[in-house]
Amino acid sequence: MNNQNNQNNRPGGRQTPNRRPVNPMRGPGIGLYLILLMVVIGTVGVFMDFPQEQETVAYSDVVGYFEDEQVKAFVIQGSELTMQLRDNSVISYELPSVDIFYYDLGETIAAQRSAGIIEMQDFQVEETSWLSMFLPYIILFGLLALFWFFMVQKQGGGAGGAMNFGKSRAKRADPSQMKVTFKDVAGANEEKADLQEVVQFLKSPQKFLNLGARIPKGVLLVGPPGTGKTLIAKAVAGEAGVPFFSISGSDFVELYVGVGASRVRDLFGEAKKNAPSIVFIDEIDAVGRRRGAGLGGGHDEREQTLNQLLVEMDGFGNNSGVIVMAATNRADILDPALLRPGRFDRQIYIGVPDIQGRREILQVHAKGKPFEPGVSFDAIASKTVGFTGADLENLLNEAALLAARADRPAITAKDMDDAYLKVIMGNEKKSRVISEHEKKLTAYHEAGHALVTRLLPSQDPVHQVSIIPRGRAGGFTMSLPKEDKYYASKNEMLDELVVLLGGRVAEKLVLDDISTGASNDIERATDIARGMVTKYGMSDKLGPICYNSNEEVFLGRDFAQSKNISDATAALIDEEVKAIIDEAYRRCTELIQDNMPMLDKIAAALLEHETIGEKHFAALFDAPDADWDSIQETGLLEDESETEKDGADGGNAPAAQKDQ
C-alpha cells in the first residue's frame, strides 16, 4: 500500500558571478598544502639536528678512567680531550688546563702506553660525511618537488597544464575503432533513413556539391532518455568511416571564464584538420540553454561558450566537411539561435519504439543469451508498450539475473514475466508482515480496480491482480492493452477516471472507511481531469481553449510574465475538474453497488491466493454462481507457469497499473 508521496526536490542551480580570469597555477588549496608541508619539514629538521644527549663527566671521572685502565686511546685538540674507552664508547671533556692534566696523569699515561694498555695517543675520530648529513634534507626536498608537481598537474597548471587547460576534452575515435553500424540500431528505420544523407555526404560529398545541394551542418537528435540517440550517432560515424569526436556539453563549462570558448575553438580546429569528420555533443542542453532566461542575468561562462559554439557552426569561418551532431531530451529549453537553419538544420525525433521496433531491439540485445524454446519475443514486445531500448535491454538483463540466481541453464518465459514485474513495479516483498485488516483493505481496494476495469468495455483487459507488496505499492492491478495506442478519446479518459477511483469506492462501500492507499490513484485521476480541462479542451463550459503552457519555467521569466488566465477562469477550471471527478466517483459507486457479489468473490480469491492471473480472473466471471473451489475443480484455472507461457495471447504492456 503506497502511503508515501514521491516528491523530487531539486535545489536550484547556483550561478557563478562574473570574475576576472584566474591563473590555474594559483589555486587557493595549494598554498595551504605547501604551508603544512613546510611545517612538517621544519619539525623533522629540528628533531634531526637536535644534539644527542651525552653522559656528563667530571674531571675526577676522567682521572678515574685512566687509573682504572679503561682508556683505550685518547687525543687532545686544544683543550678538548676525547677518549675512546674499552667498550668503544667515545667521551669528550673540556680540560680546564692541559698542564694540570699531564701533571696529574703523566706518569700513569706513560706506564700504560709502555704496557700496551693505551694503544695510541692520537686516534682517528670517525667523521660523518657531508652526503649522509644532507641526505634527509635531499629526500624531503624531493618529496616537496613531487608534491608540487602533483598539485600543479591536478590544477591544470605547469608548463604543459597551462597550455592544455583550454584544450578540448573530446574523445576521438578513429574509423577503424567504430564497430557500431546501422545494423546494430533497431526500431528506428525512419531515423536511419534521415541520417543516410549525412553518411552519403561524408563518403562522397562531390555528388551533392555538383548539384548545388548543401548538406545540413548540424543534426539534433531529440527524444526521451534511453531511446538510442548516442547509439545512432555512433552508427553514423561507423557507416561513414570518418573520425568521430565525442564530448559532453558539461565538459565545456569550467570555473574560469573563457575556458569553455577556448575548448570549443580547439574542438572545431581538430575536427577541421581531420575533415570530413563528425563532432558529437551529448547533452547539449548543458551548454545550449536559452540565454537571458534566468533571474538576474545568465551564467557568463556558459553563455560565452554558447556564443563561441554558434560562431563555429555558422560564422565567418569556413566549416565545410564537419558535421555537428548533438543529443538532448530537452529541446524546448535550447537557445533559438542554435535551432535556426545553418546551424542545427535538421531535428530528428527518436521516440519510443512500436511493437515491431521493440521486437527488433529485443533480438539485438538477446545475442549471447540462451533462451528456452517457449520464450516468445512477440509476446514480450506486446507486453512492453512504452519501453525504450534501454528499458528492453534492462529487462533482458534482469531476466538473465533471475535465471542465474535459480541455477537455470537458459532464460525461461517465467523469468521474463518476473523480470517484467520487477522492472515496472519493484521486488516482491512476501516477507512483509501485514495485519488481517490491512490485507482485507488491500484485497477490496484491488478488487474494486479489477471489477470496474472488467465492466467498462473501453478499458484494457485485466492481466494480473495481486495484493503482494511490490516496491512502494501494497498491491496492484495490471491491464494489458490489446494494441498500441497513440491517442486517447474523451470517453476513454472518463472511464479511466472511474477505474482509478474503484479502489477508494470499494473501501468506502465495504469497510465504511477510507485509507491513504488511494493517494496515488487520486493524484493520477486529478492530473487526468485537469489535463482534460486545461490542455485538451474537453470541457463543455470552457471550450477548446488551452490554459496550460508547455513552456519551460524559468524563475526570472516566471516573475516577469503575467498570468494568462483570470481569477474567474481559474475558479471555473477548478469547478470543472471537481465536476469531472465527482461524476466519475458517482459512476464508479453505481457499478460496484450493482456488482457487490462479484466484488466479494474477487476479494475472497485475493485473500486466499494473493495473486490472480488473467485466466483466473476471467474464470470468476465465466462461472459467477460457483465458488472458488468449484471453479478450480472445473479445470478452468491453469497452472501459473502455463499462464506465463500463454503470455503471447495477451497482447501488450500495461497502459494502466492501478496500485494501492
Side-chain angles (χ1 to χ4, degrees):
M1 185 177 299
N2 186 9
N3 297 333
Q4 301 180 10
N5 293 329
N6 184 16
Q7 297 180 353
N8 295 325
N9 297 322
R10 299 183 177 178
R14 179 176 180 268
Q15 297 186 351
T16 304
N18 297 337
R19 62 182 68 185
R20 297 171 56 188
V22 181
N23 186 352
M25 294 182 60
R26 300 183 60 182
I30 296 181
L32 177 61
Y33 293 141
L34 289 179
I35 292 174
L36 292 176
L37 188 60
M38 294 302 295
V39 170
V40 172
I41 293 176
T43 304
V44 173
V46 168
F47 281 106
M48 290 179 58
D49 290 342
F50 195 83
Q52 297 182 354
E53 184 178 358
Q54 295 184 357
E55 182 181 358
T56 304
V57 295
Y59 183 75
S60 59
D61 297 327
V62 174
V63 174
Y65 286 138
F66 279 94
E67 291 179 349
D68 295 339
E69 299 181 352
Q70 295 296 320
V71 180
K72 181 180 180 181
F74 73 95
V75 65
I76 298 176
Q77 295 180 344
S79 61
E80 183 178 3
L81 169 65
T82 303
M83 300 177 293
Q84 183 179 13
L85 304 182
R86 294 287 177 186
D87 58 0
N88 291 325
S89 62
V90 178
I91 297 177
S92 298
Y93 177 74
E94 189 74 21
L95 296 174
S97 173
V98 178
D99 295 337
I100 296 176
F101 172 76
Y102 277 109
Y103 177 80
D104 294 335
L105 297 173
E107 295 180 359
T108 303
I109 293 173
Q112 290 182 5
R113 289 187 62 184
S114 60
I117 297 174
I118 296 178
E119 299 177 359
M120 58 181 298
Q121 183 170 340
D122 295 328
F123 67 95
Q124 185 68 29
V125 179
E126 184 178 356
E127 297 181 356
T128 304
S129 64
W130 67 271
L131 181 61
S132 60
M133 293 176 59
F134 287 98
L135 182 60
Y137 295 98
I138 295 174
I139 295 175
L140 287 176
F141 280 109
L143 293 176
L144 174 61
L146 290 176
F147 179 79
W148 172 261
F149 178 77
F150 169 76
M151 293 303 301
V152 167
Q153 291 297 321
K154 185 177 181 180
Q155 294 288 335
M163 297 300 295
N164 295 327
F165 194 69
K167 295 292 185 180
S168 169
R169 296 183 178 180
K171 299 177 181 178
R172 175 183 173 180
D174 292 328
S176 59
Q177 299 175 348
M178 299 303 298
K179 305 297 182 182
V180 181
T181 62
F182 282 154
K183 295 181 180 179
D184 302 309
V185 180
N189 296 329
E190 292 78 8
E191 292 80 359
K192 290 190 290 186
D194 286 339
L195 292 171
Q196 282 289 354
E197 291 182 3
V198 177
V199 175
Q200 292 297 324
F201 173 78
L202 292 171
K203 285 185 175 180
S204 55
Q206 196 60 38
K207 179 176 66 174
F208 294 88
L209 297 177
N210 291 338
L211 296 174
R214 181 180 61 83
I215 202 67
K217 292 184 178 181
V219 178
L220 183 64
L221 306 177
V222 184
T227 51
K229 300 183 291 295
T230 304
L231 179 65
I232 202 169
K234 292 181 180 179
V236 171
E239 290 283 342
V242 298
F244 183 77
F245 296 87
S246 62
I247 190 172
S248 172
S250 60
D251 288 336
F252 290 114
V253 182
E254 279 286 353
L255 175 66
Y256 312 114
V257 177
V259 174
S262 175
R263 289 177 178 174
V264 170
R265 289 190 295 269
D266 183 69
L267 171 62
F268 279 86
E270 289 294 323
K272 293 174 185 177
K273 292 178 183 178
N274 296 274
S277 60
I278 295 176
V279 173
F280 177 66
I281 305 175
D282 199 7
E283 303 297 343
I284 193 174
D285 52 275
V287 69
R289 186 182 292 266
R290 187 190 303 264
R291 292 169 290 182
L295 183 63
H299 190 295
D300 188 59
E301 164 63 4
R302 182 184 58 79
E303 292 192 0
Q304 285 192 23
T305 306
L306 174 59
N307 293 337
Q308 187 63 41
L309 180 62
L310 297 175
V311 172
E312 292 291 342
M313 291 188 67
D314 187 21
F316 282 102
N318 185 16
N319 200 26
S320 61
V322 178
I323 302 296
V324 181
M325 299 186 67
T328 182
N329 49 24
R330 300 295 308 277
D332 55 317
I333 67 174
L334 293 181
D335 194 278
L338 267 178
L339 306 179
R340 73 160 176 81
R343 291 190 176 120
F344 284 109
D345 307 84
R346 182 172 299 179
Q347 294 187 33
I348 299 179
Y349 182 78
I350 303 178
V352 177
D354 57 9
I355 183 172
Q356 178 64 27
R358 294 193 297 274
R359 185 184 301 112
E360 295 175 358
I361 293 173
L362 287 169
Q363 292 172 350
V364 170
H365 293 302
K367 295 178 181 178
K369 295 182 177 66
F371 291 89
E372 285 192 349
V375 178
S376 171
F377 284 167
D378 292 335
I380 302 171
S382 299
K383 294 172 61 174
T384 51
V385 172
F387 276 44
T388 63
D391 295 330
L392 294 172
E393 182 183 13
N394 182 48
L395 174 65
L396 293 179
N397 183 64
E398 289 290 345
L401 292 175
L402 292 174
R405 190 180 305 168
D407 295 328
R408 283 189 284 270
I411 301 173
T412 64
K414 190 174 186 308
D415 292 329
M416 293 300 305
D417 284 336
D418 291 343
Y420 174 74
L421 289 175
K422 182 179 179 181
V423 168
I424 64 174
M425 297 295 298
N427 287 318
E428 256 187 357
K429 299 181 180 179
K430 293 184 177 181
S431 61
R432 179 184 293 179
V433 179
I434 304 175
S435 65
E436 291 299 323
H437 174 72
E438 288 193 356
K439 193 173 183 180
K440 181 180 179 181
L441 175 68
T442 305
Y444 274 99
H445 183 104
E446 300 303 334
H449 284 312
L451 176 61
V452 177
T453 302
R454 170 80 183 207
L455 296 176
L456 294 176
S458 65
Q459 294 302 295
D460 301 314
V462 175
H463 176 67
Q464 190 178 91
V465 187
S466 176
I467 60 173
I468 299 176
R470 276 186 177 271
R472 288 198 273 178
F476 65 90
T477 300
M478 181 183 300
S479 301
L480 293 181
K482 302 175 183 178
E483 57 187 3
D484 286 358
K485 294 182 179 180
Y486 302 99
Y487 303 101
S489 66
K490 179 179 179 180
N491 290 331
E492 289 175 344
M493 297 177 74
L494 292 174
D495 289 347
E496 176 69 13
L497 295 177
V498 177
V499 172
L500 287 171
L501 295 174
R504 167 56 65 87
V505 173
E507 293 177 13
K508 180 64 177 177
L509 294 178
V510 176
L511 304 175
D512 194 23
D513 195 6
I514 57 177
S515 70
T516 59
S519 60
N520 181 258
D521 300 327
I522 295 174
E523 181 181 354
R524 293 168 59 188
T526 305
D527 290 340
I528 292 175
R530 187 167 294 276
M532 293 174 64
V533 175
T534 63
K535 187 176 181 180
Y536 305 118
M538 295 180 178
S539 170
D540 295 333
K541 290 184 178 181
L542 294 170
I545 301 175
C546 178
Y547 297 98
N548 181 27
S549 175
N550 289 326
E551 283 192 25
E552 171 70 13
V553 176
F554 288 101
L555 184 61
R557 184 181 303 165
D558 191 48
F559 275 112
Q561 204 173 26
S562 60
K563 294 173 60 177
N564 56 1
I565 58 174
S566 64
D567 293 338
T569 304
L572 186 58
I573 290 174
D574 294 337
E575 292 177 3
E576 279 291 278
V577 171
K578 187 177 186 304
I580 293 175
I581 296 293
D582 290 344
E583 175 63 19
Y585 192 91
R586 184 193 63 78
R587 289 179 57 198
C588 183
T589 303
E590 290 180 357
L591 287 174
I592 294 181
Q593 284 179 336
D594 295 341
N595 295 271
M596 284 298 295
M598 183 57 63
L599 179 71
D600 294 333
K601 186 172 291 187
I602 298 173
L606 286 172
L607 288 171
E608 182 177 357
H609 300 277
E610 294 186 332
T611 299
I612 302 177
E614 180 179 0
K615 294 184 178 181
H616 295 199
F617 182 75
L620 294 174
F621 288 86
D622 294 336
D625 298 330
D627 58 11
W628 183 260
D629 294 332
S630 62
I631 290 175
Q632 287 181 311
E633 292 174 359
T634 61
L636 291 175
L637 302 184
E638 69 287 343
D639 185 77
E640 184 67 24
S641 62
E642 294 177 358
T643 302
E644 304 294 347
K645 291 181 181 179
D646 292 340
D649 300 332
N652 302 336
Q657 298 148 12
K658 297 89 187 173
D659 56 291
Q660 185 183 13

